[in-house]
Amino acid sequence: MNKILLAAMLFCCNVQAGVLVIGDSISAQVHSWPTHLRDMTGDNVMVMAQNGRTIRDFTLPNDLVAMPNVDTVVYFLGANDVIKRTPIRTVAERALTQLRFLKDRNFRVIVVLVPDFGDVSQVNRILGNKARGLKMEIITLDWDSSLTYDGIHPLRSLSRQIASQIFNAI
């Protein structure tokens, strides 16, 4: 029954090619949302996530291009820039460079705004403006900090909810 349900979900939502997740520790945990997304899409998810990663310090591989097996990027960075107080100008410049790089390489890019765990408004405004300017999709997550173990990192139940929200956008 589960296989039939998964097949129906994949057919109805047209998830054919793979997804590349670019993120920080919210996306890098063992039972993080990409793991649940992988279960939903049939193992079509690759993850480039690292604890502590910021927009400021992330560099994309120069040879990264969209391919038939990976055509969508979920860009979920910015939380550590808030925590580490990365200068807003740096966030704006680096985010634009990274998003433009992905667009120029023919990826469909979905930008996930930073969950509301503190003063994220400036980073989210920048990410939203850059994404809109490049005609990219933007997701604002339904975030319940009571479903985190420290106010930022999701428990499994919230990870499943995030995966579902991103799956629906794909």
Side-chain angles (χ1 to χ4, degrees):
M1 181 67 175
N2 286 342
K3 288 182 182 180
I4 294 171
L5 180 60
L6 179 61
M9 286 172 40
L10 291 174
F11 180 75
C12 84
C13 299
N14 198 24
V15 177
Q16 297 173 359
V19 176
L20 172 63
V21 174
I22 296 173
D24 54 26
S25 59
I26 295 172
S27 305
Q29 299 172 5
V30 173
H31 298 289
S32 63
W33 67 267
T35 302
H36 298 290
L37 184 65
R38 186 177 290 125
D39 293 342
M40 298 168 124
T41 62
D43 204 27
N44 293 2
V45 180
M46 295 175 18
V47 181
M48 288 177 66
Q50 177 180 328
N51 294 343
R53 178 170 282 157
T54 64
I55 292 171
R56 178 191 62 220
D57 65 20
F58 180 61
T59 304
L60 288 156
N62 286 331
D63 60 348
L64 183 67
V65 293
M67 300 169 282
N69 60 333
V70 178
D71 68 347
T72 301
V73 169
V74 176
Y75 184 92
F76 194 174
L77 285 173
N80 289 311
D81 293 283
V82 172
I83 293 167
K84 295 177 181 181
R85 294 187 170 99
T86 301
I88 290 302
R89 182 179 174 142
T90 302
V91 170
E93 290 169 356
R94 295 288 297 148
L96 180 59
T97 299
Q98 293 164 8
L99 295 174
R100 190 177 284 146
F101 178 96
L102 294 167
K103 182 177 175 119
D104 289 348
R105 280 150 182 82
N106 298 315
F107 284 101
R108 172 186 174 211
V109 181
I110 300 171
V111 175
V112 181
L113 298 181
V114 179
D116 189 14
F117 63 82
D119 187 16
V120 299
S121 60
Q122 284 186 313
V123 169
N124 280 345
R125 187 176 62 250
I126 287 168
L127 289 173
N129 288 341
K130 301 303 179 194
R132 275 188 289 284
L134 294 168
K135 303 201 181 336
M136 295 175 171
E137 298 164 67
I138 301 166
I139 296 177
T140 301
L141 296 174
D142 293 329
W143 189 264
D144 182 349
S145 60
S146 71
L147 298 177
T148 68
Y149 60 85
D150 61 0
I152 298 171
H153 299 95
L155 297 169
R156 285 186 191 193
S157 57
L158 182 55
S159 288
R160 281 191 291 272
Q161 291 175 21
I162 294 167
S164 180
Q165 291 174 64
I166 292 174
F167 179 81
N168 290 337
I170 295 170

